[in-house]
Amino acid sequence: MNPDKMRSTYGKLVYMLQDAGSAEVQRAVGFDVRGQIQTVHSELEAMGALGLLDDADVPAAVAPVLDAAGREAKAEATVRLVERYGGGKDTARASIERCLLSVGDDLALIEAHVAPVDAMLALLRRHFTPSGSPDRAASLAITAGRAGARLTHSHSTQYAYVEQSLLLWRAILVQLPRMWAIAEEDLLSGGDYRLRDTGQGYHRVQSAPRVGRFMGNVLGGLQAQVRAGAEGGRRAGLALCAAE
């Protein structure tokens, strides 16, 4: 977790739950204070309404509102879903609406995070090419010790470095809410932590196997995507040479 976040009220709560989840504290208080995160899936499952997740009206009900027409379509879709899955009980109807709002908030947050990265990728690909240009002003090459650079990269290496860094960050941001939940599971799993100076002050440090597996899957998927793109580009180049 970002150490800055762990200085907030949320961080203090997690620290308290970490300590309260120890065997010694559980014996003293007689119960485990930790509980599972309440998710949209668990709420709908408890209501017997998991079919909502596959309903054709959901995309319109959770989409960001960009204009008056979108606002009207969103409201109409929400009403239909509440009627369809909430029945006549006010509590159930309120739960359905809250689930839709939660999904909508999640999508809006992801879009706000991902849009700047997509914009940067578009700028990179619009103004530069992987192979470079004869124009030195269009070169991304860097030399260690010059202009603050710590590495020496040719244009093609730096282009790949920047593009893959943005792609990795995008892949993480798309699943950031899930990653946050997984990180919390690791923090509250009952594993022992150690107090260490991380360079940003003293913090609790412990293993994070769930986050490790998650990041391994994200990185593996991105590597396969990059390899597939490179192979596609190589085949296109061979086809062009053959045509010539």
Side-chain angles (χ1 to χ4, degrees), residues 119-129 133 137-140 155 159:
M120 289 297 296
L121 278 167
L123 287 171
L124 175 69
R125 291 163 175 169
R126 183 183 309 135
H127 296 290
F128 302 96
T129 62
S133 166
S139 174
L140 294 176
H155 170 89
Y159 181 97

Side-chain angles (χ1 to χ4, degrees), residues 167-189:
L167 288 171
L168 176 60
W169 186 226
R170 187 188 192 283
I172 293 171
L173 290 174
V174 167
Q175 301 193 66
L176 191 60
R178 181 185 173 203
M179 188 176 182
W180 193 280
I182 293 172
E184 187 171 297
E185 287 181 21
D186 275 335
L187 287 168
L188 303 181
S189 63

Side-chain angles (χ1 to χ4, degrees), residues 7-204:
R7 297 188 186 101
S8 66
T9 302
Y10 169 78
K12 294 172 185 176
L13 173 64
V14 171
Y15 288 156
M16 184 178 70
L17 289 174
Q18 276 184 301
D19 293 336
S22 67
E24 181 181 358
V25 173
Q26 288 187 47
R27 285 194 299 269
V29 302
F31 64 95
D32 188 350
V33 302
R34 298 167 300 178
Q36 294 295 318
I37 297 176
Q38 186 178 14
T39 64
V40 168
H41 188 279
S42 63
E43 178 76 0
L44 292 176
E45 185 175 33
M47 297 172 61
L50 280 176
L52 177 144
L53 296 175
D54 296 318
D55 197 290
D57 276 327
V58 168
V62 301
V65 175
L66 302 177
D67 51 35
R71 185 180 298 108
E72 184 177 351
K74 184 184 184 79
E76 291 174 353
T78 299
V79 168
R80 288 193 297 270
L81 290 168
V82 170
E83 291 290 339
R84 198 172 298 147
Y85 297 96
K89 296 181 179 179
D90 290 342
T91 54
R93 295 167 69 88
S95 291
I96 294 296
E97 188 170 359
R98 185 169 65 250
C99 286
L100 293 173
L101 290 172
S102 181
V103 174
D105 287 347
D106 182 66
L107 292 177
L109 179 66
I110 290 174
E111 174 62 24
H113 285 158
V114 170
V117 180
D118 283 342
M120 289 297 296
L121 278 167
L123 287 171
L124 175 69
R125 291 163 175 169
R126 183 183 309 135
H127 296 290
F128 302 96
T129 62
S131 58
S133 166
D135 184 3
R136 293 186 61 184
S139 174
L140 294 176
I142 58 174
T143 303
R146 295 181 58 184
R150 299 295 184 88
L151 303 169
T152 297
H153 282 172
S154 65
H155 170 89
S156 59
T157 299
Q158 183 65 6
Y159 181 97
Y161 178 84
V162 173
E163 183 181 47
Q164 291 175 25
S165 296
L166 289 171
L167 288 171
L168 176 60
W169 186 226
R170 187 188 192 283
I172 293 171
L173 290 174
V174 167
Q175 301 193 66
L176 191 60
R178 181 185 173 203
M179 188 176 182
W180 193 280
I182 293 172
E184 187 171 297
E185 287 181 21
D186 275 335
L187 287 168
L188 303 181
S189 63
D192 292 333
Y193 62 80
R194 302 178 305 280
L195 196 62
R196 292 287 185 269
D197 184 356
T198 64
Q200 295 175 304
Y202 281 90
H203 296 281
R204 300 182 182 193

